[in-house]
Amino acid sequence: MRPIRLLFAAGLAISAVAVGLASASATEQIVGGSRASIADHQYVVFLSTPDGFQFCGGTLVADNKVVTAAHCTIRKAPGDVRVVAGREDKTSAEGITSAVTDIWIHPDYTDVRVGSDVSVLTLDQRLPYTPLGLPDANDATLYAARTPATILGWGRTAVDGQSSQYLLKASVPLVADADCVNSYSDYDAKAMVCAGLPDGGIDTCQGDSGGPLVVNGRLAGLTSWGVGCAAPGNPGVYTRLGTYVDLVRSRL
Ligand code: 4AZ
């Protein structure tokens, strides 16, 4: 090999290492996201067990009400759940931990793939954080395909990885109903909305469930289910909150 070709080969090897490092750091984040400030997203909360294990996300929608996924709270008693608000770093003591005095679960909820994956928690105190607005009932503009949506949570940063110590966020485009039904035969456009890139790479994952999908500053969806995380052709599936918002409002 002539020196010029050796140099070229060495350059390729160095770029390959650089790309490898870049993609490794890109996955240290939701999947494919980046650090988010709790001050900028005061409505994002996490659900923990009484001994502090974070298992789901949620959204403050009134000073003492949190919307989350039914699959996060089903078969749990209020005493099994704590709501942690104002804490970006799970390992810190910042923010406020609330007890739960009531758990409402959509009466039709059975399984994430059937829909109605929505639950409302009543807290034992009123929190000093800015809640997120609910969508208007059946606001179709909120669910137009390709609209950018923000996902937030402390869940896994890779499908078989660890959950995140810090609050992470990412932006994903909403997927057309006609495309999502091709990914998932159980997709129901009345109950759900999908978000993700055709090639994957950015997604919610285990532990993000119940957390917010924010569109135009409203709580458009709740992290619900999907096959794997961030895989091509398998977008994340979110509870379509517009369908359930009248029922949710009646619980506030
Ligand atoms: C879960 O298991 C889960 N990629 C949450 C979100 C997604 C998949 C699974 C979407 O909580």
Side-chain angles (χ1 to χ4, degrees):
M1 205 183 267
R2 302 204 318 266
I4 186 108
R5 292 190 62 188
L6 262 175
L7 274 175
F8 181 62
L12 267 186
I14 287 163
S15 342
V17 167
V19 166
L21 287 174
S23 56
S25 66
T27 54
E28 277 168 39
Q29 299 160 33
I30 248 175
V31 179
S34 59
R35 286 278 301 269
S37 153
I38 196 77
D40 293 344
H41 309 277
Q42 298 184 24
Y43 52 84
V44 195
V45 302
F46 65 84
L47 311 188
S48 79
T49 60
D51 61 7
F53 175 76
Q54 181 266 324
F55 63 90
C56 270
T59 304
L60 197 66
V61 297
D63 59 6
N64 67 335
K65 299 282 182 174
V66 165
V67 174
T68 186
H71 81 263
C72 290
T73 58
I74 192 84
R75 293 180 293 273
K76 285 191 165 68
D80 298 336
V81 182
R82 300 285 183 271
V83 170
V84 181
R87 184 177 302 169
E88 188 174 316
D89 175 353
K90 285 198 294 203
T91 68
S92 80
E94 63 180 345
I96 299 172
T97 301
S98 301
V100 172
T101 59
D102 185 70
I103 298 176
W104 173 85
I105 294 173
H106 193 294
D108 296 341
Y109 177 76
T110 54
D111 185 277
V112 292
R113 288 175 176 261
V114 178
S116 305
D117 191 11
V118 55
S119 176
V120 178
L121 307 179
T122 304
L123 310 182
D124 71 340
Q125 60 189 313
R126 300 188 181 274
L127 296 177
Y129 301 115
T130 308
L132 189 63
L134 291 167
D136 296 324
N138 306 308
D139 178 354
T141 66
L142 220 50
Y143 299 102
R146 293 178 297 280
T147 303
T150 301
I151 50 178
L152 289 143
W154 290 263
R156 291 186 183 193
T157 58
V159 68
D160 293 315
Q162 291 188 313
S163 71
S164 178
Q165 178 179 349
Y166 299 102
L167 175 63
L168 302 178
K169 69 171 190 304
S171 180
V172 274
L174 298 183
V175 172
D177 296 331
D179 292 334
C180 204
V181 78
N182 287 327
S183 295
Y184 302 117
S185 59
D186 290 329
Y187 180 71
D188 176 349
K190 280 190 71 72
M192 307 163 194
V193 60
C194 289
L197 297 163
D199 293 335
I202 306 176
D203 199 4
T204 45
C205 200
Q206 197 182 333
D208 291 318
S209 279
L213 174 86
V214 183
V215 178
N216 295 335
R218 303 284 181 121
L219 182 59
L222 315 175
T223 300
S224 181
W225 63 281
V227 168
C229 303
N234 290 138
V237 188
Y238 299 81
T239 303
R240 187 177 297 238
L241 205 61
T243 296
Y244 304 104
V245 73
D246 289 341
L247 204 46
V248 166
R249 268 189 217 286
S250 79
R251 314 307 307 188
L252 301 188

